[in-house]
Amino acid sequence: MGDLLTRHGLAELRETAVLAASELVTAACRFTPDREMLLRVHWQFDALRIVLHDQHPCHGSPEKSDECQERRSADMWLPAAAVDAHGGDWGLAPTLTASGGSKTWALLHP
């Protein structure tokens, strides 16, 4: 991914984007082992968008869901710091499907 960003004139985003993508994938693997995920990296509205969808199962109660959200958010401290330092944004949200799932993202500006 780093070489691709350089070829497209986004070399200044290279290190942060690679770190963010690898951390999003790592967190998804930790919280949804043996399940599929989709990583999408695209340039839109003058920002690099890194979005990961995973198949994290639904929790049985709102309390369990909140606990899981807090654990996953705390686990994202490294990409959060890198993205924030680059003036970007990141987040984590449940995917609104019957089977569950989560969406995490990082948004980077050059």
Side-chain angles (χ1 to χ4, degrees):
M1 181 170 81
D3 291 340
L4 182 65
L5 292 173
T6 299
R7 284 196 306 265
H8 286 279
L10 299 169
E12 69 274 16
L13 299 178
R14 181 182 176 141
E15 286 182 32
T16 305
V18 169
L19 172 69
S22 67
E23 289 292 320
L24 293 180
V25 169
T26 298
C29 287
R30 189 173 309 122
F31 285 94
T32 57
D34 302 325
R35 300 214 178 189
E36 290 185 17
M37 67 182 78
L38 171 67
L39 178 68
R40 182 172 180 211
V41 179
H42 64 284
W43 178 258
Q44 184 180 28
F45 305 120
D46 295 326
L48 184 67
R49 297 166 189 277
I50 304 166
V51 182
L52 188 132
H53 294 272
D54 65 39
Q55 295 179 338
H56 190 72
C58 290
H59 293 282
S61 71
E63 294 81 18
K64 291 274 188 193
S65 184
D66 289 345
E67 286 175 22
C68 183
Q69 180 91 2
E70 288 176 22
R71 240 184 0 260
R72 287 186 76 159
S73 292
D75 204 39
M76 297 296 291
W77 69 270
L78 181 59
V83 168
D84 289 345
H86 208 286
D89 192 18
W90 73 279
L92 166 66
T95 302
L96 302 176
T97 64
S99 61
S102 294
K103 173 176 127 176
T104 51
W105 70 90
L107 177 71
L108 301 171
H109 301 281

